[in-house]
């Protein structure tokens, strides 16, 4: 078998430690896996150096992107990331190094912005919409909303010309306000938007030492009250898509829409959730423990520790390869025959806990929502894909939609408006 020469590692140098207390956070409970965290939660310099050296060595290409997350990664302080930059120069001077940094924004100030700007950091800011929707779940440890501080951080990033995007967790509250949420994110200057559907299940019977959210392998568990409903998630995407495709193509980049369009032009989805296979997208804890995925930080999914086994070896381990292949190999017959399999591939295995065609609990909880979106957007996606294949910008779809009157249809024998030179009935129809 050929060696796997690349991987992605999401680094969590603060582990699950955070300076806010989001009610829906799935990672805060990971402190139970590391009881010593109460006193010793920081990634130390030895582990940091080993990680940076091994991660750079695990990449065969010239570009290496580090991803820093948490918990809350700013809790390590600015000096920690100055050390990161120093070590990247030491071990990766012959490569192009960049950094993705996911933060709640609470402590971002001018000094942080200068560090980000001067060292090629892309900042992901977590914000769930306008103040009332954001503060519904994203509160500090005293129960107060955090929206104002997040907004202040975004303004500082803009002032310092730091590249940023926004990550919005779609939950039971904001899912009911799709356009309001989307237009608010636009209004604060977010041109790159990620919508992450919230689906978590809680165990019905737990001990004090147990994690209260169920292991993804556990098919039984109650879906939490803040999780998004599949149908509502599909409607959420569709409402935003209808507005986006008429007004914002090429100006506002919505990860879900761009990823789906990639699949329509024959490219693999850049989102792991919709990739044919999982795996090789690991999470590293503060002590150097490496897990299959940040949604699979459970003992049975630990591949090892970088102090005893290097990242390249773990990336090529039988366990890592099997985990990645299981996504497609365990796909049920309904997914295999689905017309949108090319765009979905069964979604995240973590969410496969509904009864499938044989009664086995192997079907994705969000399937109905995904299908609604893929079905609703198919004609526009096909049209934009044709534009791209003809060497034109997909943004031209906005001109076409502006020119069409409500309910006006293109004649089947007319030239297709995508510019292919073919009749509409032989092309985008």
């Amino acid at each position: 078998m050929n060696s796997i020469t690349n991987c992605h590692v999401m680094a969590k140098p603060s582990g699950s430690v955070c300076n806010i207390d989001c009610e829906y956070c799935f990672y805060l409970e990971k402190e139970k896996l590391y009881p010593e965290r109460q006193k010793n939660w920081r990634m130390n310099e030895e582990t940091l150096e080993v990680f940076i050296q091994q991660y750079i060595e695990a990449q065969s290409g010239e570009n290496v992107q580090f991803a820093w997350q948490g918990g809350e990664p700013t809790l390590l302080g600015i000096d920690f990331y100055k050390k990161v930059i120093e070590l990247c120069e030491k071990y990766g001077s012959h490569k192009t190094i960049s950094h993705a940094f996911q933060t709640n924004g609470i402590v971002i100030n001018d000094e942080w912005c200068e560090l980000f700007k001067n060292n090629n950091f892309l900042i992901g800011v977590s914000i769930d919409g306008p103040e009332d929707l954001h503060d519904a779940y994203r509160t500090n440890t005293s129960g107060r909303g955090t929206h104002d501080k997040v907004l202040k951080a975004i303004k500082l990033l803009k002032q310092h010309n730091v590249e940023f995007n926004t990550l919005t967790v779609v939950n039971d509250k904001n899912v009911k306000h799709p356009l309001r949420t989307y237009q608010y994110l636009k209004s604060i200057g977010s041109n790159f938007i990620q919508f992450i559907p919230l689906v978590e299940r809680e165990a019905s019977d737990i001990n004090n030492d147990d994690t209260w959210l169920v292991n993804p392998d556990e098919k039984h568990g109650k879906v939490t009250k803040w999780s998004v409903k599949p149908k509502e998630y599909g409607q959420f995407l569709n409402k935003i898509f209808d507005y986006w495709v008429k007004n914002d193509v090429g100006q506002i980049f919505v990860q879900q829409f761009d990823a789906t369009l990639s699949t329509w032009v024959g490219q693999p989805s850049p989102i792991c959730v919709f990739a044919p296979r999982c795996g090789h997208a690991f999470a590293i804890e503060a002590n150097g423990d490496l897990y299959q995925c940040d949604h699979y930080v459970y003992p049975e999914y630990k591949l090892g520790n970088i102090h005893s086994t290097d990242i390249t070896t773990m990336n090529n381990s039988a366990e890592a390869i099997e985990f990645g292949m299981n996504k497609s190999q365990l796909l049920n017959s309904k997914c295999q025959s689905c017309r949108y399999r090319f765009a979905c591939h069964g979604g995240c295995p973590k969410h496969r806990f509904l009864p499938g065609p044989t009664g086995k609990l192997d079907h994705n909880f969000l399937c109905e929502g995904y299908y609604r979106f893929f079905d609703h957007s198919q004609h526009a996606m096909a049209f934009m894909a044709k534009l791209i294949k003809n060497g034109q910008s997909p943004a031209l779809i906005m001109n076409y939609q502006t020119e069409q009157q409500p309910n006006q249809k293109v004649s089947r024998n007319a030239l297709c408006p995508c510019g292919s030179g073919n009749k509409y009935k032989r092309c985008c129809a």
Side-chain angles (χ1 to χ4, degrees):
M1 182 178 293
N2 294 331
S3 175
I4 298 169
T5 56
N6 290 290
C7 64
H8 183 267
V9 178
M10 182 181 292
K12 295 177 177 288
S14 65
S16 59
V17 176
C18 192
N19 53 358
I20 65 174
D21 190 24
C22 302
E23 186 176 354
Y24 59 54
C25 182
F26 74 94
Y27 216 82
L28 287 175
E29 68 163 9
K30 301 304 177 184
E31 65 182 3
K32 294 184 177 180
L33 299 177
Y34 297 93
E36 71 278 9
R37 283 284 162 76
Q38 299 301 321
K39 296 181 179 179
N40 183 24
W41 53 269
R42 297 173 59 93
M43 179 179 281
N44 61 42
E45 284 196 12
E46 179 188 4
T47 302
L48 177 64
E49 183 162 5
V50 172
F51 166 58
I52 287 178
Q53 180 181 8
Q54 289 187 12
Y55 185 57
I56 291 173
E57 290 175 350
Q59 314 303 320
S60 62
E62 291 302 309
N63 297 308
V64 181
Q65 185 182 66
F66 283 86
W68 305 97
Q69 207 177 67
E72 174 52 38
T74 56
L75 292 179
L76 278 295
I78 287 178
D79 288 343
F80 178 88
Y81 295 99
K82 289 180 178 178
K83 186 67 176 179
V84 165
I85 294 159
E86 176 187 320
L87 291 169
C88 285
E89 291 174 349
K90 177 179 179 180
Y91 293 106
S93 58
H94 59 294
K95 297 196 175 186
T96 301
I97 307 290
S98 60
H99 302 269
F101 192 94
Q102 187 68 41
T103 177
N104 58 38
I106 299 300
V107 302
I108 298 298
N109 57 20
D110 289 319
E111 189 177 4
W112 276 107
C113 291
E114 290 168 6
L115 176 83
F116 296 150
K117 180 63 179 177
N118 294 334
N119 294 283
N120 199 20
F121 276 65
L122 168 64
I123 310 304
V125 181
S126 296
I127 183 167
D128 287 354
E131 184 173 7
D132 59 316
L133 299 179
H134 176 91
D135 287 347
Y137 292 121
R138 300 190 65 84
T139 58
N140 62 22
T141 53
S142 300
R144 296 188 181 91
T146 59
H147 178 268
D148 288 348
K149 290 185 177 180
V150 179
L151 206 57
K152 180 180 177 182
I154 290 174
K155 290 178 179 178
L156 278 173
L157 292 170
K158 290 162 65 176
Q159 288 173 14
H160 288 266
N161 294 314
V162 176
E163 188 177 356
F164 76 96
N165 58 37
T166 54
L167 186 151
T168 297
V169 176
V170 184
N171 54 64
D172 66 315
K173 307 288 189 188
N174 57 9
V175 73
K176 295 177 172 61
H177 305 276
L179 287 180
R180 182 171 167 236
T181 299
Y182 174 71
Q183 290 173 341
Y184 179 76
L185 295 173
K186 280 181 56 179
S187 74
I188 62 174
S190 178
N191 297 324
F192 296 86
I193 299 170
Q194 296 180 55
F195 292 118
I196 308 298
L198 177 62
V199 179
E200 296 293 346
R201 292 175 298 136
E202 55 187 330
S204 57
D205 185 23
I206 59 173
N207 298 315
N208 289 334
D209 295 332
D210 293 335
T211 53
W212 67 277
L213 297 176
V214 300
N215 182 313
D217 285 344
E218 174 57 58
K219 301 303 182 182
H220 299 282
K222 181 182 177 183
V223 176
T224 60
K225 67 181 179 64
W226 48 77
S227 293
V228 67
K229 292 181 175 62
K231 181 179 178 180
E232 289 185 340
Y233 184 58
Q235 293 170 336
F236 176 90
L237 291 176
N238 290 347
K239 284 284 188 181
I240 295 172
F241 181 80
D242 287 346
Y243 182 91
W244 175 84
V245 82
K246 293 177 181 178
N247 301 279
D248 292 333
V249 181
Q251 302 169 57
I252 305 296
F253 299 90
V254 180
Q255 186 187 49
Q256 172 81 59
F257 305 161
D258 292 341
T260 302
L261 182 56
S262 292
T263 65
W264 275 89
V265 296
Q267 299 296 318
S269 173
I271 307 177
C272 66
V273 169
F274 299 122
R277 289 176 294 278
C278 281
H280 316 291
F282 309 119
I284 190 168
E285 270 285 340
N287 69 342
D289 286 346
L290 193 75
Y291 292 87
Q292 295 277 17
C293 169
D294 78 316
H295 285 281
Y296 282 77
V297 177
Y298 293 89
E300 53 268 50
Y301 291 101
K302 189 174 84 170
L303 290 167
N305 186 287
I306 61 173
H307 290 291
S308 55
T309 309
D310 63 73
I311 291 174
T312 298
T313 299
M314 287 187 275
N315 187 36
N316 283 275
S317 68
E319 293 85 355
I321 293 170
E322 180 183 17
F323 180 86
M325 296 300 292
N326 278 344
K327 179 176 182 180
S328 59
Q329 292 179 348
L330 300 181
L331 202 62
N332 67 42
S333 60
K334 183 176 181 179
C335 287
Q336 290 178 16
S337 61
C338 179
R339 65 187 299 187
Y340 300 117
R341 177 183 174 181
F342 72 95
C344 178
H345 294 287
C348 181
K350 176 187 176 182
H351 298 153
R352 295 180 185 177
F353 55 83
L354 291 186
T358 66
K360 185 179 179 181
L361 301 179
D362 61 0
H363 202 67
N364 198 300
F365 175 78
L366 289 172
C367 175
E368 181 184 2
Y370 289 148
Y371 193 95
R372 281 174 175 266
F373 168 68
F374 293 133
D375 201 55
H376 181 80
S377 64
Q378 62 170 317
H379 296 300
M381 288 293 177
F383 190 92
M384 289 188 288
K386 285 281 188 179
L387 288 169
I388 292 171
K389 290 175 181 177
N390 292 329
Q392 298 177 286
S393 168
L396 291 175
I397 192 174
M398 296 188 294
N399 296 339
Y400 166 68
Q401 294 208 358
T402 300
E403 293 167 1
Q404 296 302 303
Q405 298 300 318
N407 301 317
Q408 180 180 348
K409 295 183 178 180
V410 180
S411 168
R412 290 179 58 79
N413 290 311
L415 289 178
C416 187
C418 78
S420 65
N422 300 319
K423 289 184 177 181
Y424 180 61
K425 67 183 179 182
R426 302 288 185 188
C427 194
C428 289

